[in-house]
Each structure stands twice: as C-alpha cells, then as structure tokens.
Amino acid sequence: MSNVSHFLEHNAQKSAQYFTHKLACETDCSDVYADIKSGDNNFVLLDVRSNEAFNKSHAITAINIPHIEITQTRMAQFHKDTLFVVYCWGPGCNGASKAAQKLSALGYLVKEMIGGIHYWEDFERYPVNRCIDEAQK
C-alpha cells in the first residue's frame, strides 16, 4: 500500500471515529421534535437557561434546571439511566455544554441539542410553551 493510500485510509478511519463520537454526544432540533411527535421520547428535554428565560418561551415537553443548579443533590430525583437532551440559547451560548459536562460527570447519559431554543423556535418554528400573562421584556 502506498503512503498516500495508507494516509487516506487512516484519516478516513479517524474521521469515522470522530463523527461517530460526535453524533453520540449531540442531536438536533429536527430529531428531537420527530421523537416527541412519534411518542419516542425516552429522554428528558432539559432547558438549562435561567428560570426567567424558560418562563418566557421553551420547547414543548421541556423542563427547566438552569445549568448552575445541576448538582448531585438536585439531580438525585432522576435515575442514573435517564437520558438528558440539553439545550440553551443557541450556537453563541455554551450553557448546554456546561450542563452536559456536569451531567455526564454525575454519571448520566446526555446529548446536547445543537441550535438551542434559537433554532427550535426561530428557524424550525417548532411549538413552544410561552408565557402570555406578561409582556416580553
């Protein structure tokens, strides 16, 4: 095998490993919404933004635990085999990554929903629960 062929095969294998790992750690709004619609929601959709942001608008079925509140004590109500799908504002926010790191360090299964609420609500136009009792600030 030539050096070029060996190089290409090695890089293809590394790329396959990288993307397999990446997909094991993330999902997107489309896949999450498809699972919710089909009833295949064997995960907890976790909005990790502030309580105020969550109350203004959040993805349907989501619960709220701000990433700063993710501790062993706070998460004790969930079984260790719970799969969490976490999201925050969007690509410019790393709150979901912080939450994913904390949850995985506590021994939970976790995926990050890339795009966050920004892609969910503004680009995909998927349903949200929205506070209607007060004006948006």
Side-chain angles (χ1 to χ4, degrees):
M1 178 183 291
S2 74
N3 286 340
V4 173
S5 295
H6 178 71
F7 174 78
L8 293 174
E9 182 179 321
H10 178 71
N11 280 345
Q13 290 172 352
K14 288 186 82 128
S15 293
Q17 290 170 348
Y18 168 79
F19 286 110
T20 297
H21 179 72
K22 183 178 179 182
L23 289 171
C25 296
E26 68 183 28
T27 187
D28 64 17
C29 300
S30 177
D31 290 341
V32 171
Y33 185 59
D35 284 347
I36 291 170
K37 280 184 15 180
S38 72
D40 183 20
N41 52 348
N42 60 345
F43 57 89
V44 173
L45 185 56
L46 185 59
D47 185 320
V48 300
R49 299 174 300 146
S50 69
N51 293 313
E52 295 78 19
F54 177 83
N55 288 333
K56 286 182 182 178
S57 176
H58 58 271
I60 59 169
T61 77
I63 65 167
N64 178 232
I65 302 175
H67 70 84
I68 60 173
E69 295 178 15
I70 294 176
T71 63
Q72 186 171 2
T73 302
R74 177 67 174 91
M75 303 312 292
Q77 66 181 308
F78 298 98
H79 294 284
K80 284 294 186 178
D81 62 352
T82 301
L83 169 61
F84 290 97
V85 173
V86 297
Y87 73 88
C88 60
W89 287 105
C93 174
N94 68 358
S97 296
K98 290 175 182 177
Q101 187 279 324
K102 288 179 181 181
L103 289 166
S104 60
L106 291 171
Y108 292 99
L109 302 171
V110 61
K111 285 189 168 201
E112 182 176 358
M113 184 177 80
I114 58 174
I117 193 65
H118 180 55
Y119 277 60
W120 180 280
E121 186 171 10
D122 296 334
F123 289 116
E124 299 292 349
R125 300 286 192 205
Y126 293 142
V128 295
N129 292 325
R130 185 181 299 278
C131 177
I132 57 172
D133 293 336
E134 60 185 65
Q136 297 287 315
K137 296 178 184 177

